[in-house]
Coordinates of all heavy atoms in Angstrom, one line a residue:
Y683 N 11.0 -16.7 3.9 CA 10.1 -15.9 4.6 C 10.0 -14.6 3.6 O 8.8 -14.1 3.5 CB 10.7 -15.4 6.0 CG 9.7 -14.5 6.7 CD1 8.5 -15.0 7.2 CD2 10.0 -13.1 6.8 CE1 7.7 -14.1 7.9 CE2 9.2 -12.3 7.5 CZ 8.1 -12.8 8.1 OH 7.1 -11.9 8.7
M684 N 11.1 -14.1 3.2 CA 11.0 -13.0 2.3 C 10.2 -13.3 1.1 O 9.2 -12.5 0.6 CB 12.4 -12.6 1.8 CG 13.1 -11.8 2.8 SD 12.6 -10.0 2.8 CE 13.2 -9.5 1.2
R685 N 10.4 -14.5 0.5 CA 9.6 -14.8 -0.8 C 8.1 -14.9 -0.5 O 7.3 -14.5 -1.3 CB 10.1 -16.2 -1.3 CG 11.3 -16.1 -2.1 CD 11.5 -17.4 -2.9 NE 11.5 -18.6 -2.1 CZ 12.5 -19.1 -1.4 NH1 13.7 -18.6 -1.6 NH2 12.4 -20.2 -0.7
D686 N 7.7 -15.4 0.8 CA 6.4 -15.7 1.1 C 5.7 -14.4 1.5 O 4.5 -14.2 1.2 CB 6.3 -16.6 2.3 CG 4.9 -17.1 2.6 OD1 4.2 -17.3 1.6 OD2 4.6 -17.3 3.8
R687 N 6.4 -13.3 2.0 CA 5.7 -12.2 2.7 C 5.8 -10.9 1.9 O 5.1 -10.0 2.1 CB 6.2 -12.0 4.1 CG 5.9 -13.1 5.0 CD 4.4 -13.5 5.1 NE 3.6 -12.4 5.5 CZ 2.5 -12.0 4.9 NH1 2.0 -12.8 3.9 NH2 1.8 -11.0 5.3
A688 N 6.9 -10.8 1.1 CA 7.2 -9.5 0.5 C 6.1 -8.9 -0.3 O 5.6 -7.8 -0.1 CB 8.5 -9.6 -0.3
A689 N 5.5 -9.7 -1.2 CA 4.4 -9.1 -2.1 C 3.2 -8.7 -1.3 O 2.6 -7.7 -1.5 CB 4.1 -10.1 -3.2
D690 N 2.8 -9.6 -0.3 CA 1.7 -9.3 0.5 C 1.8 -8.0 1.3 O 1.0 -7.1 1.3 CB 1.4 -10.5 1.4 CG 0.1 -10.5 2.1 OD1 -0.9 -9.6 1.6 OD2 -0.1 -11.1 3.2
V691 N 3.0 -7.9 1.9 CA 3.3 -6.7 2.8 C 3.3 -5.4 2.0 O 2.7 -4.5 2.2 CB 4.5 -6.9 3.6 CG1 5.0 -5.6 4.1 CG2 4.3 -8.0 4.6
W692 N 4.1 -5.5 0.9 CA 4.3 -4.2 0.1 C 3.1 -3.8 -0.7 O 2.7 -2.7 -0.8 CB 5.5 -4.4 -0.9 CG 6.8 -4.5 -0.2 CD1 7.1 -4.2 1.2 CD2 8.0 -5.2 -0.6 NE1 8.4 -4.5 1.5 CE2 9.0 -5.2 0.4 CE3 8.3 -5.9 -1.8 CZ2 10.2 -5.7 0.3 CZ3 9.6 -6.4 -1.9 CH2 10.5 -6.3 -0.9
S693 N 2.3 -4.8 -1.3 CA 1.2 -4.4 -2.1 C 0.0 -3.8 -1.1 O -0.6 -2.9 -1.5 CB 0.6 -5.7 -2.8 OG 0.2 -6.6 -1.9
R694 N -0.1 -4.5 0.0 CA -1.2 -3.9 0.9 C -0.8 -2.6 1.5 O -1.7 -1.7 1.8 CB -1.5 -5.0 1.9 CG -2.3 -6.2 1.4 CD -2.6 -7.3 2.3 NE -3.0 -8.4 1.5 CZ -4.2 -8.7 1.0 NH1 -5.1 -7.8 1.1 NH2 -4.4 -9.7 0.2
T695 N 0.4 -2.3 1.8 CA 0.9 -1.1 2.2 C 0.6 0.0 1.2 O 0.1 1.0 1.5 CB 2.3 -1.1 2.6 OG1 2.6 -2.1 3.6 CG2 2.8 0.2 3.3
L696 N 1.0 -0.3 -0.1 CA 0.8 0.6 -1.1 C -0.7 0.9 -1.4 O -1.2 2.0 -1.6 CB 1.4 0.1 -2.4 CG 3.0 0.2 -2.5 CD1 3.5 -0.6 -3.7 CD2 3.5 1.6 -2.5
A697 N -1.5 -0.2 -1.3 CA -2.9 0.0 -1.6 C -3.6 0.8 -0.5 O -4.5 1.7 -0.9 CB -3.6 -1.4 -1.7
T698 N -3.4 0.5 0.7 CA -4.0 1.3 1.8 C -3.6 2.7 1.9 O -4.4 3.6 2.0 CB -3.8 0.5 3.2 OG1 -2.5 0.4 3.4 CG2 -4.6 -0.8 3.2
E699 N -2.3 2.9 1.7 CA -1.8 4.3 1.6 C -2.3 5.0 0.4 O -2.6 6.2 0.5 CB -0.3 4.2 1.7 CG 0.4 5.6 1.5 CD -0.1 6.7 2.6 OE1 -1.0 6.5 3.3 OE2 0.5 7.8 2.6
G700 N -2.4 4.3 -0.7 CA -2.9 5.0 -1.9 C -4.4 5.4 -1.7 O -4.7 6.6 -2.0
L701 N -5.2 4.6 -1.1 CA -6.6 5.0 -0.8 C -6.6 6.2 0.3 O -7.4 7.1 0.1 CB -7.4 3.9 -0.3 CG -8.8 4.0 0.1 CD1 -9.6 4.7 -1.0 CD2 -9.6 2.8 0.6
N702 N -5.8 6.0 1.2 CA -5.7 7.1 2.3 C -5.3 8.5 1.7 O -5.9 9.5 2.0 CB -4.7 6.7 3.4 CG -4.6 7.6 4.6 OD1 -5.7 8.1 5.0 ND2 -3.5 8.1 5.0
R703 N -4.4 8.4 0.7 CA -4.0 9.7 0.1 C -5.1 10.3 -0.8 O -5.2 11.5 -1.0 CB -2.7 9.5 -0.7 CG -1.5 9.4 0.2 CD -0.2 9.3 -0.7 NE 1.0 9.2 0.2 CZ 1.7 10.2 0.5 NH1 1.4 11.5 0.2 NH2 2.8 10.1 1.3
T704 N -5.9 9.4 -1.4 CA -7.1 10.0 -2.2 C -8.0 10.7 -1.3 O -8.8 11.6 -1.8 CB -7.8 8.9 -3.0 OG1 -8.4 8.0 -2.1 CG2 -6.8 8.0 -3.9
L705 N -8.1 10.2 -0.1 CA -9.0 11.0 0.9 C -8.5 12.3 1.3 O -9.2 13.4 1.4 CB -9.2 10.1 2.2 CG -9.8 8.7 2.0 CD1 -10.0 8.0 3.4 CD2 -11.1 8.7 1.2
T706 N -7.1 12.4 1.5 CA -6.6 13.7 2.0 C -6.1 14.6 0.9 O -5.8 15.8 1.2 CB -5.4 13.3 3.0 OG1 -4.4 12.6 2.2 CG2 -5.8 12.5 4.1
S707 N -6.1 14.2 -0.3 CA -5.6 15.0 -1.4 C -6.7 16.1 -1.8 O -7.9 15.8 -1.6 CB -5.3 14.1 -2.6 OG -5.1 14.9 -3.8
A708 N -6.2 17.2 -2.2 CA -7.1 18.2 -2.7 C -7.3 18.2 -4.2 O -8.1 19.1 -4.7 CB -6.5 19.6 -2.3
H709 N -6.8 17.2 -4.9 CA -6.9 17.2 -6.4 C -8.2 16.5 -6.8 O -8.5 15.3 -6.4 CB -5.8 16.4 -6.9 CG -4.4 17.1 -6.8 ND1 -4.1 18.2 -7.3 CD2 -3.3 16.8 -6.0 CE1 -2.8 18.5 -7.1 NE2 -2.4 17.7 -6.1
P710 N -9.1 17.2 -7.5 CA -10.3 16.7 -8.0 C -10.1 15.5 -8.9 O -11.0 14.6 -8.8 CB -11.0 17.8 -8.8 CG -10.3 19.1 -8.1 CD -8.9 18.6 -7.8
S711 N -9.1 15.4 -9.6 CA -8.9 14.2 -10.4 C -8.7 13.0 -9.7 O -9.2 11.9 -10.1 CB -7.6 14.4 -11.3 OG -6.4 14.6 -10.5

């Protein structure tokens, strides 16, 4: 189960949170 799910779970969590942070960040870059 760990082998099957880890990459999907962690990558999508990082991707969606990364996009979310670009919305809330004040940094123009």
Side-chain angles (χ1 to χ4, degrees):
Y683 183 74
M684 279 283 291
R685 282 195 304 271
D686 192 37
R687 297 303 304 138
D690 190 18
V691 167
W692 295 335
S693 66
R694 289 176 196 280
T695 303
L696 287 171
T698 54
E699 173 58 351
L701 178 55
N702 188 42
R703 284 181 179 271
T704 67
L705 301 183
T706 58
S707 172
H709 294 292
S711 58

